Amino acid sequence: MTTLEQMTEDFAFLDDWEDRMRYVMELGKALPDLPDADKTAENKVKGCASQVWLTTRPHEGADPVIDLAGDSDAHIVRGLVAIVLAAYSGKRASDIVAFDAIDLFGRLGLIEHLSAQRANGLRSMIQRIREEAARHLV
């Protein structure tokens, strides 16, 4: 999977909105499929117009590293999921809670071009990840 650093560098070279959206869709295509067993109502993100699923797998400890996986049934949203996972997965719970990925999407030049529904769905994904990370802090 592409790292957040690589994504940021790639977005810096893309001036055109259509090129950015094509890249988002490419990121979505490269995202590993979430197993059907994980596509449950419990893992579904509420507030997204498309179907989005997120799984959280914390390691041990008072400030555990949390591994995330996700998927969507929509191409663009699947790409947004890939960016969110690059930002948060494999990080400590305290770092997840402290990092607001909405700012990241602004720096990448994406947030202002998302429809209201997609932007709300993105916020729902980020909020859920940060809330789950907070629950794992002891």
Side-chain angles (χ1 to χ4, degrees):
M1 209 165 106
T2 307
T3 66
L4 184 59
E5 182 178 311
Q6 182 63 52
M7 289 177 191
T8 303
E9 289 175 14
D10 292 344
F11 274 109
F13 289 106
L14 302 173
D15 296 326
D16 184 79
W17 168 241
E18 290 179 11
D19 290 339
R20 289 175 185 268
M21 288 316 316
R22 273 193 286 279
Y23 183 57
V24 168
M25 288 189 281
E26 286 176 26
L27 292 171
K29 287 178 187 174
L31 184 68
D33 291 333
L34 192 67
D36 287 339
D38 286 336
K39 293 181 181 177
T40 63
E42 179 181 289
N43 290 335
K44 194 169 179 183
V45 178
K46 293 168 182 57
C48 293
S50 307
Q51 293 192 82
V52 175
W53 301 272
L54 289 171
T55 62
T56 307
R57 301 208 191 327
H59 294 240
E60 297 293 321
D63 187 9
V65 169
I66 298 178
D67 294 323
L68 303 165
D71 205 346
S72 176
D73 63 347
H75 295 296
I76 291 173
V77 176
R78 189 174 159 97
L80 298 176
V81 170
I83 297 168
V84 168
L85 295 180
Y88 287 119
S89 189
K91 305 287 190 304
R92 295 214 167 271
S94 60
D95 293 329
I96 292 171
V97 170
F99 183 70
D100 185 358
I102 292 297
D103 292 335
L104 167 68
F105 279 86
R107 289 192 311 269
L108 296 178
L110 294 175
I111 197 74
E112 67 269 13
H113 295 288
L114 295 178
S115 68
Q117 282 185 319
R118 282 197 183 115
N120 287 338
L122 178 63
R123 284 182 182 88
S124 294
M125 274 191 278
I126 292 167
Q127 179 180 350
R128 175 165 162 194
I129 289 169
R130 292 172 80 194
E131 286 174 356
E132 288 198 24
R135 280 197 290 275
H136 292 289
L137 288 172
V138 176

